[in-house]
Amino acid sequence: MDNFDHSLLEFQRAEQTRRSAKDWLDAFELALASRDATHIGSLFHDDSHWRDVLAFTWHMTAVAGRDGIAARIVAEQAHTAAHGFHLPQGRRAPRLVKRLGIDSIEAIFEFTTAAGRGAGLIRLSPAPDGSGSMKAWLLSTVLDSLTGHEEKIGSNRPTGAAYSRNFGGDNWADVRRKAVAYKDREPTVLVIGAAQAGLSIAARLNQLGVDTLVVEQWPRIGDSWRKRYHSLALHNSIHLNHLPYMEFPPTWPKYIPKDMLGNWFEFYADAMEINCWTATEFVRGSWDEATKCWTAWLRRGDGSERVVRPRHLVFANGVSSFPMMPDLPGLDVFKGQVIHSEGFDSGAAWRGKNALILGTGSSANDIALDLHNHGVNTTLIQRGSTTVVSIDPSARLNEAIWDEGGSLEDCDLIVASATPPLVIKGYKSVTKRMLELDKAMIEGLKGIGFKHDVGEDETGHQMKYFRRGGGYNLDAGSSDLLIQGQLGLLQYERIESFTAEGALLKDGSTVPADLIVLATGYYPQQELVRRALGDAMVERIGPVWGIGADGDLNNMFKRTPQQGLWFIAGGLAQCRINSKYLALQIKATELGTWAAAA
């Protein structure tokens, strides 16, 4: 076959793929118009999945099974009025893929609803009856914008007429100073935290015209990363970590160093015109049911206090809040220095000395590497079993969708399409491959007595992160040092107690230490809510983070049982993707669209 024949065959295959996707969407629209559950159900496999994010249900909703999907779609279509399903120009074309072991046609589509415009994804595979017809085993639908309130980007960007060449009046810098001061108004939204979560949601809300103030306790935006340990860099690749609207420069390294990222956050906040008060602590808040707004007490860097009354409060200060300092026998008499991993900077001051690190997660192992490379005799103390994954190649398996190329918007849509059962199935498959790739490392760790696991249901480190925020190590080289004996490993059950000199073992010997680092994690975000909003609020809203009964994260990126209270956290990609949906929910609440639809 020559190049021409090959190109013709590829064209014909692509055209047939596109035709199959279009035919399914046309049939789906006809079935929607009829509101016939049987007709809709006939387009799906028995074992099928639907993931809706705000478009039909105004929630993050997952439905499994053909009959359940058809019934729910019929019920929601009455107020959704979804129509105009089509394959859009400028987005990834329908293509043949293998997902979760299923050969499929995967197609991105767009549509219109009574509230706005939507986008989605279908995955089709042949019907089991051999008829040749294509049925969906996955449908996802997401709300992309609200009609009349589209993001102020691209052709919809602001004109700048209010300050451009405004001779005798305020220029852009004047407008920004007044906007940040909040002397003449209250913010509609108060965001607590100016790292990836807070900056992402603030940037999104800005483009929807929602007045947003971010408060950050550190002196500078980005300090929450700059102040972390000296050698820290991101453990996943740059191409999936962009913030909304602005991608990192193409000259930047694959794994971004913490100070580089902190500086980018500061630049990003300025470029995206985010109103932020640094050196400002959110002290406490209370909800007024009568006025439907919060009273929030803020302590500024100069010691003054400012009270603001936003309608929405967004906690964006991470999965964890306050460092967990365990009560360990004898630790109070240790004559060396005890610090939590949050306060560790560099091992340079400890050269030639002895260090014990309590914990075997990523922070503990990164700190161990730093200490070791500064000539510190370092031992890790393991309390519970840990999932260990090589950064490259194993951890990079979770970057597969972004590795396929295409626009960031399209990749994010594909990632957001998975329902909780499919997420579990996908992580099980990836974890199985990780175990193959990391076999030698894992066997070496087990050979020295290291307790290793792959999660309660063999879903690996990712589900550990979602369920508990830790319990794993993305290995940057410490595992080899442990196996070679260059880093020590001590099981906690061997310790009788800590003493002035170090750790007294049950056999009577002592492991000497000058430094003990507690890499023991953090209290869950509920503790921050408890301290800031009170016990009653914690009881009202329930868990924050962790997997809920619906398979999604508890109270994250969506309405909580408390009106006007929202949470966003996670890695950069997670914040970028979900900030879009959180911002749309807040905007819809302000417009009354949500209440009307519900």
Side-chain angles (χ1 to χ4, degrees):
M1 180 183 296
D2 60 26
N3 289 337
F4 175 80
D5 290 336
H6 180 75
S7 297
L8 178 62
L9 181 62
E10 288 296 311
F11 173 80
Q12 292 172 337
R13 184 180 291 121
E15 180 60 23
Q16 180 57 50
T17 299
R18 189 196 69 82
R19 173 57 59 184
S20 294
K22 183 180 184 303
D23 289 348
W24 191 94
L25 289 172
D26 291 345
F28 182 64
E29 181 147 2
L30 285 173
L32 272 180
S34 71
R35 299 205 195 154
D36 182 339
T38 301
H39 189 182
I40 292 173
S42 69
L43 299 172
F44 290 84
H45 287 281
D46 289 345
D47 181 17
S48 52
H49 299 263
W50 175 34
R51 170 75 164 175
D52 180 66
V53 182
L54 308 179
F56 280 74
T57 64
W58 284 103
H59 293 278
M60 295 183 178
T61 304
V63 183
R66 178 187 62 192
D67 294 341
I69 292 171
R72 186 68 184 270
I73 288 176
V74 168
E76 301 294 346
Q77 176 65 359
H79 62 79
T80 302
H83 64 282
F85 289 80
H86 65 280
L87 299 172
Q89 295 290 327
R91 303 200 70 162
R92 178 173 283 172
R95 56 186 179 147
L96 299 174
V97 298
K98 177 169 283 191
R99 303 291 190 208
L100 298 177
I102 302 173
D103 290 318
S104 309
I105 291 173
E106 181 177 88
I108 290 173
F109 61 87
E110 292 179 353
F111 61 103
T112 302
T113 73
R117 300 190 65 82
L121 185 83
I122 49 172
R123 290 190 184 132
L124 310 175
S125 61
D129 60 10
S131 63
S133 63
M134 303 296 288
K135 294 182 182 291
W137 64 269
L138 174 70
L139 168 69
S140 79
T141 48
V142 304
L143 184 65
D144 215 31
S145 64
L146 293 163
T147 300
H149 303 278
E150 291 80 6
E151 293 178 314
K152 297 175 183 178
I153 59 175
S155 60
N156 195 41
R157 72 175 70 238
T159 64
Y163 47 75
S164 296
R165 295 181 293 279
N166 188 21
F167 302 107
D170 288 348
N171 67 4
W172 174 83
D174 298 324
V175 171
R176 289 296 303 133
R177 279 192 294 271
K178 291 179 180 179
V180 174
Y182 283 93
K183 290 183 178 179
D184 59 349
R185 72 197 195 285
E186 298 286 358
T188 302
V189 179
L190 177 65
V191 177
I192 304 165
Q196 63 265 22
L199 295 178
S200 292
I201 186 59
R204 298 282 194 190
L205 288 168
N206 278 357
Q207 306 321 307
L208 294 176
V210 180
D211 193 353
T212 302
L213 170 63
V214 181
V215 293
E216 170 58 61
Q217 65 178 344
W218 291 103
R220 292 173 58 192
I221 294 172
D223 276 352
S224 58
W225 280 87
R226 292 189 197 93
K227 300 296 184 182
R228 299 174 75 179
Y229 54 89
H230 189 73
S231 55
L232 176 64
L234 293 184
H235 285 156
N236 48 22
S237 302
I238 189 172
H239 65 294
L240 62 91
N241 282 322
H242 306 290
L243 293 179
Y245 313 114
M246 286 180 63
E247 296 191 4
F248 296 115
T251 57
W252 275 33
K254 185 174 182 179
Y255 299 106
I256 306 174
K258 58 146 181 123
D259 297 286
M260 204 173 194
L261 186 64
N263 291 346
W264 179 260
F265 283 176
E266 196 168 43
F267 168 76
Y268 178 85
D270 186 50
M272 297 305 300
E273 300 181 295
I274 291 172
N275 299 332
C276 184
W277 293 353
T278 55
T280 300
E281 180 186 1
F282 174 76
V283 179
R284 67 187 188 280
S286 63
W287 172 255
D288 188 323
E289 186 62 32
T291 61
K292 303 295 184 185
C293 74
W294 294 93
T295 300
W297 286 264
L298 307 175
R299 184 177 296 121
R300 305 299 304 275
D302 59 5
S304 64
E305 192 172 82
R306 173 76 182 266
V307 176
V308 296
R309 292 179 172 83
R311 289 193 290 274
H312 303 270
L313 194 62
V314 180
F315 281 93
N317 45 356
V319 174
S320 311
S321 51
F322 300 98
M324 188 175 291
M325 304 290 285
D327 183 15
L328 302 174
L331 194 60
D332 56 331
V333 301
F334 177 62
K335 66 182 181 182
Q337 185 172 351
V338 178
I339 60 173
H340 191 272
S341 57
E342 183 179 72
F344 180 85
D345 179 30
S346 169
W350 303 96
R351 185 177 301 275
K353 297 185 181 296
N354 300 302
L356 294 174
I357 303 174
L358 185 62
T360 47
S362 286
S363 293
N365 279 271
D366 282 0
I367 291 170
L369 281 169
D370 187 275
L371 288 166
H372 173 79
N373 288 330
H374 278 100
V376 182
N377 180 34
T378 304
T379 297
L380 288 157
I381 302 173
Q382 185 175 34
R383 292 195 293 176
S385 63
T386 308
T387 303
V388 183
V389 178
S390 62
I391 292 176
D392 193 355
S394 288
R396 292 205 65 244
L397 294 176
N398 287 326
E399 303 174 8
I401 295 298
W402 290 281
D403 286 343
E404 292 174 357
S407 72
L408 192 64
E409 181 184 19
D410 288 350
C411 293
D412 287 353
L413 178 63
I414 295 170
V415 170
S417 70
T419 64
L422 294 181
V423 169
I424 294 293
K425 187 174 181 180
Y427 283 141
K428 284 185 175 181
S429 176
V430 169
T431 300
K432 185 177 180 181
R433 177 59 179 150
M434 288 177 176
L435 290 173
E436 294 171 355
L437 293 171
D438 294 339
K439 182 179 179 181
M441 177 182 69
I442 293 170
E443 288 182 349
L445 287 171
K446 289 181 176 178
I448 62 169
F450 189 93
K451 299 173 184 176
H452 182 271
D453 72 84
V454 289
E456 63 189 54
D457 52 1
E458 298 183 337
T459 49
H461 72 284
Q462 279 291 160
M463 286 309 297
K464 274 195 169 185
Y465 172 63
F466 295 139
R467 287 168 175 153
R468 52 184 280 200
Y472 59 88
N473 172 35
L474 298 180
D475 183 67
S478 58
S479 291
D480 279 346
L481 295 178
L482 282 166
I483 293 166
Q484 296 165 16
Q486 296 185 50
L487 286 174
L489 177 66
L490 175 63
Q491 294 299 330
Y492 183 76
E493 60 263 26
R494 293 184 58 200
I495 298 175
E496 180 68 31
S497 69
F498 290 93
T499 67
E501 288 74 32
L504 174 64
L505 304 187
K506 292 177 180 178
D507 63 8
S509 61
T510 295
V511 180
D514 303 287
L515 168 70
I516 296 178
V517 180
L518 301 177
T520 46
Y522 299 80
Y523 288 102
Q525 201 169 44
Q526 284 169 281
E527 180 61 23
L528 175 63
V529 177
R530 185 184 306 280
R531 299 187 192 191
L533 304 180
D535 291 340
M537 189 62 70
V538 172
E539 293 301 317
R540 182 179 304 170
I541 66 173
V544 180
W545 200 261
I547 300 298
D550 61 358
D552 276 317
L553 289 167
N554 288 309
N555 284 317
M556 275 287 157
F557 323 121
K558 56 190 175 186
R559 282 187 291 182
T560 71
Q562 170 59 53
Q563 182 180 347
L565 181 61
W566 313 83
F567 295 88
I568 180 170
L572 279 85
Q574 196 174 14
C575 291
R576 180 187 66 248
I577 293 170
N578 289 290
S579 61
K580 180 183 183 75
Y581 308 129
L582 177 52
L584 283 170
Q585 291 172 81
I586 292 174
K587 181 66 175 182
T589 303
E590 285 297 293
L591 294 171
T593 305
W594 202 331

